[in-house]
Amino acid sequence: GAEVLSLPCLHTLLAKNNRLGGPGSLPKGLGQAPLARSLRVLNLSGNRFTDVPPALLRLRGLRSLSLGGNRLHSIPPDIQELRSLEFLYLGGNFITSIPPELAKLPCLKYLVLCDNKIQSIPPQLAQLHSLRSLSLHNNLLTYLPREILNLVHLEELSLRGNPLVVRFVRDLTYNPPSLQELAGRTVKTRNVPYAPSDLPENLVRYLSLASNCPNPKCGGVYFDSCVRQIKFVDFCGKYRLPLMHYLCSPECSSPFSSASQSSTSQSESDSEDEASVAAHRMQKVLLG
């Protein structure tokens, strides 16, 4: 009811396990009411919401939002407006993808996306530098982005019940680079000097988009043409997690990508550098 809007000091509102979700479930004017300035914790789990109500995205002071066990199929990009959010619980829905805008929550520490239908993780999530716990169990993940290693404060990663735990995949499809990319790679790898006055503006911009090949034995670069490869990295000295890598050419995956070798033997030498960096960061990797 509208009466709740006039409570200027309300800090926590728990309305879980009800039948909210239809038209008129939330009072009009929620985003402009005194309540919007005071509310810090909102729990609407176990209701019937099929979408995240736009009014909730105007609660700029919210630190904890729970919408688990509803009927959500997506996360709106405008979730980035909740910049004070520290805890976000969206488990037990029908979410299939994660918008990159979710990575623009600078204070987010706990992100729960378990029990959904998520197939991939956007690499932008590596920008969640405050993240300490990431729950992804019981989804449809077959790999993780390599950038997840940049989550330097991550202490808990829950992955059980995903295909990546019981089967691993590799995709080595490769489109040959264009003449422009070959020229750009040569300029970058051989450190050919150039100034903005030497080249057209579009080529200068193109050269600035070069990505370094993650293979420490390569030292090459790529622009548009690259090889997608699953690489296994040790966490806690016990679990091997498949991370998505983008290599500059098929040669970068040899000799470890030979079809005669198993995925495990392929990864042992290739993952040593990153494994040594990541092992001390991860306190818990929950696979079983």
Side-chain angles (χ1 to χ4, degrees), residues 65-76:
L65 174 61
S66 298
L67 281 166
N70 278 277
R71 302 171 183 178
L72 305 179
H73 286 80
S74 63
I75 304 172

Side-chain angles (χ1 to χ4, degrees), residues 17-271:
N17 300 328
N18 285 288
R19 298 183 179 181
L20 301 174
S25 290
L26 298 178
K28 294 181 179 179
L30 177 60
Q32 293 77 35
L35 176 68
R37 294 187 290 270
S38 64
L39 199 61
R40 297 293 178 267
V41 179
L42 178 60
N43 190 329
L44 294 174
S45 293
N47 281 285
R48 299 180 177 181
F49 290 102
T50 56
D51 299 290
V52 177
L56 298 187
L57 304 178
R58 300 188 184 98
L59 302 177
R60 305 298 168 80
L62 209 59
R63 296 177 184 171
S64 175
L65 174 61
S66 298
L67 281 166
N70 278 277
R71 302 171 183 178
L72 305 179
H73 286 80
S74 63
I75 304 172
D78 286 344
I79 194 77
Q80 64 181 313
E81 301 298 329
L82 301 179
R83 298 185 62 81
S84 298
L85 210 59
E86 299 177 5
F87 178 90
L88 179 59
Y89 190 103
L90 296 173
N93 283 286
F94 303 96
I95 297 169
T96 57
S97 62
I98 303 172
E101 289 81 4
L102 189 62
K104 297 181 180 181
L105 299 177
C107 302
L108 195 64
K109 297 179 181 178
Y110 302 93
L111 177 58
V112 181
L113 295 168
C114 60
D115 299 292
N116 279 287
K117 299 181 182 296
I118 298 169
Q119 301 183 37
S120 63
I121 304 299
Q124 288 86 350
L125 284 196
Q127 300 169 19
L128 292 173
H129 300 301
S130 299
L131 199 64
R132 296 182 179 179
S133 178
L134 178 58
S135 296
L136 294 168
H137 52 272
N138 298 330
N139 277 286
L140 302 175
L141 299 171
T142 55
Y143 67 88
L144 298 177
R146 174 177 176 269
E147 289 80 1
I148 201 169
L149 295 176
N150 296 328
L151 294 174
V152 295
H153 296 295
L154 194 64
E155 298 174 354
E156 181 174 307
L157 174 62
S158 179
L159 292 170
R160 65 183 184 276
N162 280 282
L164 65 81
V165 176
V166 295
R167 65 179 174 86
F168 304 111
V169 296
R170 274 195 310 146
D171 184 359
L172 290 177
T173 57
Y174 182 66
N175 294 319
S178 64
L179 291 177
Q180 177 175 280
E181 174 150 351
L182 289 173
R185 291 187 182 193
T186 301
V187 170
K188 285 293 185 178
T189 56
R190 299 192 179 185
N191 294 317
V192 177
Y194 66 91
S197 57
D198 299 328
L199 298 170
E201 182 180 350
N202 64 312
L203 292 181
V204 174
R205 185 166 55 252
Y206 180 79
L207 289 171
S208 69
L209 299 177
S211 298
N212 293 321
C213 182
N215 185 350
K217 301 174 184 177
C218 172
V221 299
Y222 64 88
F223 294 86
D224 303 310
S225 181
C226 58
V227 178
R228 295 173 71 243
Q229 184 187 50
I230 298 295
K231 187 168 101 170
F232 293 77
V233 173
D234 289 331
F235 284 85
C236 306
K238 184 176 181 181
Y239 302 112
R240 303 182 71 78
L241 297 184
L243 305 183
M244 179 62 77
H245 279 239
Y246 296 90
L247 303 173
C248 67
S249 70
E251 288 74 19
C252 279
S253 58
S254 60
F256 306 115
S257 64
S258 173
S260 62
Q261 292 180 299
S262 68
S263 295
T264 302
S265 62
Q266 168 192 342
S267 62
E268 288 178 354
S269 300
D270 206 21
S271 65

